[in-house]
């Protein structure tokens, strides 16, 4: 009897080993295949045009690991360098004490990016992008958004800590031809924020056609700090986007569409192709914004110019951080100060993904400060943030293409996924569970809240990752723990800021009440 049992046990163990190995083998085959299909996908994406791309676009099997640098490679603009366009600062239609009134008209237009070619675009008040809205902490902002498009839109204040009703997310659409007014109080520290449409089904294509703009928040600290702050002189908003121009010079969102993130092969900076700025000061501040639908950037500077990051999405870092490279996922911002004092070259280039983003033409006699303040902010060091007794949530990103999910669910505007109390903190564990089947980056973003990174795969964040954030990129297999700070009441979405994933339903809702 005992012998028999022993044999059964041994048999079961052998069976487990055999099945396990077969599983491992099958999985390996699977990986092999996906690397191959990925490679051929890249080839077709770059050489065969639309048909190849739609193959990629239709890829919802969730197998290929996707690397945006290779799917749609960037190429050098072949147009002459042009002075960087700087979005005008929007004048209020009215001011009354602390109250300011702004009007934004979303409309269709044509823009000349390439000499002699008119491209169909969308813009706020102008033909491409929108004006910069500059507000101060404590002000009450009244906005009027006029939808002059023939489709629904909304206007979301990305990074703003405002009530849900003013947030402009998918729950506050503006029908074609309609106007919407909202009011909010600026109740956060100085930061580089932005605005863009956010209505279900039209977000990605409207952003691609040009709907986006900056909102800069100032406060006493930012006004006092000795930093470059002359807008358009030594302090530039810099939104980087990738677009493909069709043979007739148009953006054709439909034919370039990719369910895993639509990318273009040409960089536009503030809507300028091949831009330059004239630099007359030793230090130049660039407020970098990745305004692309899906591409991640890795910014560097050449010719010995040094770059220090001074702010993340939600405000100043405690101290300037010397950087050799700045990675920005879609939606993320980084304020950096470039120091050219020791540079003997005539030009310096901001570069990414093998291409020049922006040329800095250095004036022979550059003047002004060469140092930065040592202390910029007084954020609690991430290691000392109080985590005691906080509610925990796990947010799991998975899938690709049309199969993207958060915690295995597709966005449903009628469903509340999580709850939180106003002005409370929670610990969120963000994971990207794609690694078994390939997978890709998912830039996590939340409305109406800011967070601090506690750990990335168990490790402390770097100094530059320790600031206030509203976007963090989740690489395949990564686990990021954050301390989430909620602010005002309302229903807020959190989602993947790869806009095609967002449109495919990679979004959830938290009710703050
Ligand atoms: Cu920048 Cu929910 O968006
Ligand atoms: Cu995603």
């Amino acid at each position: 009897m005992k012998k028999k049992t022993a044999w059964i046990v041994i048999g079961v163990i052998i069976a487990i080993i055999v099945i396990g190995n077969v599983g491992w083998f099958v999985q390996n085959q699977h990986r092999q295949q996906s690397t191959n299909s990925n490679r051929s996908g890249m080839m077709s994406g770059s050489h065969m045009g639309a048909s190849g791309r739609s193959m990629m676009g239709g890829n919802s099997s969730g197998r290929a690991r996707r690397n945006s640098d290779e799917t749609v490679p960037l190429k050098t603009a072949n147009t002459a360098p042009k002075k960087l366009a700087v979005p005008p600062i929007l004048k209020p239609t009215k001011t009354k004490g602390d109250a300011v009134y702004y009007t934004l008209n979303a409309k269709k237009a044509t823009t000349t990016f390439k000499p002699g070619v008119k491209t169909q675009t969308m813009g706020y008040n102008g033909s491409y992008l929108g004006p910069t809205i500059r507000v101060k902490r404590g002000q009450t902002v009244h906005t009027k958004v006029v939808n002059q498009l023939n489709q629904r839109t909304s206007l979301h204040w990305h990074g703003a800590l405002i009530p849900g009703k003013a947030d402009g997310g998918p729950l506050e659409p503006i029908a074609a031809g309609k106007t919407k007014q909202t009011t909010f109080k600026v109740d956060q520290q100085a930061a580089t924020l932005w605005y863009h449409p956010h209505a279900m089904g039209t977000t990605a294509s409207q952003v691609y056609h040009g709907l986006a703009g900056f909102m800069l928040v100032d406060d006493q600290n930012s006004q006092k700090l000795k930093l470059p702050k002359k807008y358009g002189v030594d302090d530039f908003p810099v939104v980087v986007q990738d677009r493909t121009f069709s043979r007739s010079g148009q953006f054709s969102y439909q034919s370039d569409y990719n369910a895993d993130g639509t990318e273009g092969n040409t960089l536009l900076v503030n809507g300028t192709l091949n831009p330059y700025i004239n630099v007359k000061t030793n230090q130049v501040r660039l407020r970098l914004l990745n305004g692309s639908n899906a591409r991640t950037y890795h910014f560097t500077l050449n010719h010995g110019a040094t770059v220090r990051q001074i702010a993340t999405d939600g405000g100043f870092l405690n101290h300037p951080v010397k950087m050799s490279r700045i990675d920005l996922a879609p939606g993320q911002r980084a304020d950096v100060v470039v120091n050219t004092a020791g540079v003997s070259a005539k030009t310096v280039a901001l570069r990414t993904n093998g291409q020049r983003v922006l040329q800095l033409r250095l004036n022979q006699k550059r003047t002004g400060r060469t140092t930065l303040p040592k202390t910029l902010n007084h954020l609690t060091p991430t290691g000392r943030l109080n985590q005691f007794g906080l509610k925990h949530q796990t947010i799991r990103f998975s899938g690709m293409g049309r199969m993207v999910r958060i915690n295995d669910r597709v966005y449903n505007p009628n469903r509340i996924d999580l709850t939180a109390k106003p002005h409370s903190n929670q610990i969120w564990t963000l994971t990207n569970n794609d690694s078994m089947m390939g997978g890709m980056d998912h830039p996590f973003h939340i409305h109406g809240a800011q967070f601090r990174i506690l750990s990335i795969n168990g490790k402390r964040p770097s100094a530059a990752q320790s600031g206030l954030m509203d976007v963090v990129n989740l690489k395949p297999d990564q686990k990021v723990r954050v301390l989430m700070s909620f602010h005002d009441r309302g229903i807020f979405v959190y989602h993947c800021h790869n806009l095609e994933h967002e449109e495919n339903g990679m979004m959830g809702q938290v009710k703050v009440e």
Side-chain angles (χ1 to χ4, degrees), residues 308-483:
R308 284 184 171 77
Q309 187 168 349
I310 56 169
T312 52
D313 299 330
F316 287 113
L317 289 161
N318 282 350
H319 314 285
V321 180
K322 193 168 178 184
M323 305 292 283
S324 55
R325 198 181 83 192
I326 291 137
D327 298 323
L328 285 189
Q332 276 189 309
R333 286 88 68 209
D335 278 22
V336 302
V337 175
V338 178
N339 189 335
T340 64
V343 178
S344 52
K346 288 202 177 84
T347 63
V348 158
L350 176 74
R351 299 180 59 82
T352 190
N353 312 47
Q355 299 298 323
R356 187 169 79 194
V357 179
L358 175 66
Q359 186 184 56
L360 281 65
R361 295 187 171 174
L362 307 185
N363 199 288
Q364 288 271 296
K365 291 185 211 80
R366 298 187 296 285
T367 56
R369 250 185 293 277
T370 57
T371 56
L372 288 172
K374 286 209 175 59
T375 301
L376 304 165
N377 207 348
H378 294 94
L379 303 172
T380 308
T382 51
R384 273 197 260 135
L385 288 166
N386 180 25
Q387 301 178 37
F388 186 74
L390 300 182
K391 194 163 161 184
H392 286 241
Q393 312 274 12
T394 300
I395 315 288
R396 223 157 13 86
F397 284 71
S398 64
M400 284 182 71
R402 292 184 176 84
M403 301 296 288
V404 286
R405 302 281 185 270
I406 295 180
N407 291 350
D408 302 317
R409 300 209 274 202
V410 178
Y411 178 61
N412 177 349
N414 302 314
R415 186 186 68 224
I416 300 298
D417 298 281
L418 302 167
T419 58
K421 297 250 175 302
H423 301 280
S424 74
N425 293 339
Q426 294 187 356
I427 307 281
W428 283 29
T429 301
L430 314 168
T431 67
N432 178 350
N433 296 61
D434 280 332
S435 61
M436 284 295 280
M437 301 173 74
M440 55 183 295
D441 293 10
H442 298 295
F444 165 87
H445 168 55
I446 187 161
H447 292 202
Q450 285 177 335
F451 57 85
R452 305 281 304 282
I453 297 177
L454 297 168
S455 66
I456 301 173
N457 283 350
K459 292 204 192 77
R460 286 270 189 84
S462 69
Q465 291 168 324
S466 298
L468 293 164
M469 311 264 203
D470 55 63
V471 179
V472 63
N473 193 26
L474 307 171
K475 296 206 181 79
D477 227 5
Q478 242 178 11
K479 184 189 214 167
V480 179
R481 284 181 79 243
V482 304
L483 184 109

Side-chain angles (χ1 to χ4, degrees), residues 156-159 167 169-170 194-198 203 330-331 333 445-447 470-471 493-497 499 502 507:
H156 165 55
W157 306 98
H158 179 129
D167 169 80
W194 64 301
Y195 59 91
H196 62 77
H198 214 305
T203 302
R333 286 88 68 209
H445 168 55
I446 187 161
H447 292 202
D470 55 63
V471 179
V493 292
Y494 49 89
H495 58 88
C496 178
H497 216 290
L499 297 184
E502 172 191 327
M507 182 150 67

Side-chain angles (χ1 to χ4, degrees), residues 40-56:
S40 61
M42 280 179 223
M43 295 289 283
S44 53
S46 50
H47 300 297
M48 277 161 42
S51 63
R53 245 185 245 120
S54 64
M55 259 172 63
M56 289 292 290

